[in-house]
Amino acid sequence: ASDVYKRQRDGDDLMAVSNRVYQGKVIVHKNELSWVEVEPLKKARMSHIAFKLKDNVYVAGGRTALMSGVKLTCCERFNLAQGKWLTCEHSLPFSLCGASVVVSADETVAVITGGEAGSRARDRVIIFTPEKGFELMAKRLSNITISEHASILL
């Protein structure tokens, strides 16, 4: 199915897989927010990460269903100038769901932490650059226990 997303109405499940993508526009001084649906993801997913570097939005990881779904390593790239999804040759070093991501101020690097991929993922750090892709860092987040989820600043 191209879209299995359900809006939460009368007890419907909001936690469902979707390939739908919306581009938002914020006008702060008018306190306005508008959304336009754009070309869908090639792979429907949930619990993924998404981040913007320069003119591209990257969507990576996630899973194909809530409980029994396949955990993903693949990445897709949306070019904002062209308004379409383009091939992304990079993949995560392991499947990852529910992670956190922060982008540097100059939008050249993303740092990914936490998430679910067995016991080894929560304390791992992954760096992403468009040139090198996803790189698993040797240094772990040693001050964070397996049950915690931390926010980071760059």
Side-chain angles (χ1 to χ4, degrees):
S2 65
D3 178 30
V4 293
Y5 177 79
K6 297 181 200 175
R7 294 204 182 267
Q8 191 170 8
R9 280 188 230 117
D10 301 323
D12 283 348
D13 183 12
L14 186 61
M15 295 294 294
V17 175
S18 177
N19 67 345
R20 295 178 82 175
V21 179
Y22 296 87
Q23 186 171 1
K25 182 177 181 180
V26 178
I27 304 173
V28 177
H29 67 278
K30 290 186 177 181
N31 199 25
E32 290 181 11
L33 174 61
S34 61
W35 297 100
V36 175
E37 190 164 6
V38 297
E39 185 177 325
L41 288 163
K42 296 180 187 315
K43 183 87 165 166
R45 59 184 80 210
M46 64 183 295
S47 301
H48 53 275
I49 57 171
F51 54 92
K52 178 184 174 287
L53 297 180
K54 306 283 185 186
D55 287 334
N56 292 289
V57 174
Y58 296 86
V59 174
R63 66 178 68 195
T64 60
L66 182 58
M67 298 303 285
S68 60
V70 174
K71 293 180 183 173
L72 304 170
T73 61
C74 58
C75 180
E76 298 185 43
R77 176 173 65 101
F78 185 80
N79 183 277
L80 293 165
Q82 296 179 25
K84 66 179 183 176
W85 291 97
L86 303 173
T87 301
C88 184
E89 64 276 5
H90 306 303
S91 292
L92 289 161
F94 47 79
S95 59
L96 189 61
C97 303
S100 293
V101 62
V102 64
V103 172
S104 62
D106 63 358
E107 295 188 357
T108 59
V109 63
V111 179
I112 301 149
T113 62
E116 174 191 327
S119 61
R120 65 185 180 148
R122 288 196 183 272
D123 65 346
R124 300 310 300 260
V125 178
I126 301 169
I127 303 293
F128 178 87
T129 61
E131 301 78 25
K132 294 184 177 181
F134 297 96
E135 296 181 283
L136 185 60
M137 303 305 291
K139 180 112 174 124
R140 293 174 182 261
L141 297 173
S142 58
N143 295 336
I144 300 172
T145 64
I146 207 74
S147 63
E148 291 179 310
H149 197 79
S151 296
I152 60 172
L153 301 173
L154 289 182

